[in-house]
């Protein structure tokens, strides 16, 4: 299916609002996203994960670095703490893929 601006149709979250942290990790290298939907970070920075895309774009997770929020490739993160082992599968929303 043509998802347009959506990267995926489904996501995994720790709670129905996707507001609870799933895990925290350390950036293994610098990352600069292609547009404002992505979060940029430097090697060694802490990255907090709120949800994981599944389906079309299994390589992208959504999280925050400081006060910035956005998508990043999951392969750049070394997980060092899990906050929740519970994962709910939910549909994504158009607002998951807009720039703020």
């Amino acid at each position: 299916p043509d998802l347009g601006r959506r990267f995926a149709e489904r996501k995994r979250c720790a709670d129905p609002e996707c507001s609870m942290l799933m895990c925290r990790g350390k950036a293994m290298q610098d990352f600069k996203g292609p547009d404002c939907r992505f979060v940029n970070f430097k090697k060694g920075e802490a990255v907090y994960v709120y949800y994981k895309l599944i389906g079309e774009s299994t390589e992208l997770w959504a999280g925050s670095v400081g006060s910035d929020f956005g998508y990043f490739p999951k392969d750049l993160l070394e997980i060092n703490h899990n906050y929740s082992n519970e994962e709910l599968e939910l549909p994504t929303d158009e607002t998951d893929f807009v720039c703020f």
Side-chain angles (χ1 to χ4, degrees):
D2 178 24
L3 300 174
R5 290 181 54 83
R6 287 187 191 213
F7 298 134
E9 290 186 354
R10 315 273 308 153
K11 59 187 173 183
R12 290 190 204 279
C13 304
D15 66 295
E17 290 79 40
C18 298
S19 61
M20 285 176 49
L21 281 171
M22 296 182 80
C23 58
R24 176 186 74 223
K26 186 170 77 174
M28 295 190 297
Q29 67 185 63
D30 292 358
F31 174 70
K32 178 121 173 72
D35 64 38
C36 61
R37 294 175 293 176
F38 291 81
V39 65
N40 301 321
F41 49 74
K42 300 254 186 257
K43 181 178 179 175
E45 281 190 301
V47 181
Y48 295 87
V49 179
Y50 288 91
Y51 58 91
K52 304 170 181 180
L53 296 182
I54 54 178
E56 299 288 311
S57 286
T58 56
E59 74 280 354
L60 290 178
W61 286 359
S64 65
V65 176
S67 61
D68 297 328
F69 185 88
Y71 293 95
F72 61 91
K74 70 176 185 183
D75 296 345
L76 300 183
L77 196 63
E78 178 185 306
I79 303 297
N80 52 28
H81 186 79
N82 281 306
Y83 292 100
S84 171
N85 292 323
E86 195 152 320
E87 291 192 2
L88 306 170
E89 189 172 313
L90 302 164
T92 58
D93 190 284
E94 285 291 329
T95 59
D96 288 332
F97 306 104
V98 296
C99 296
F100 292 104

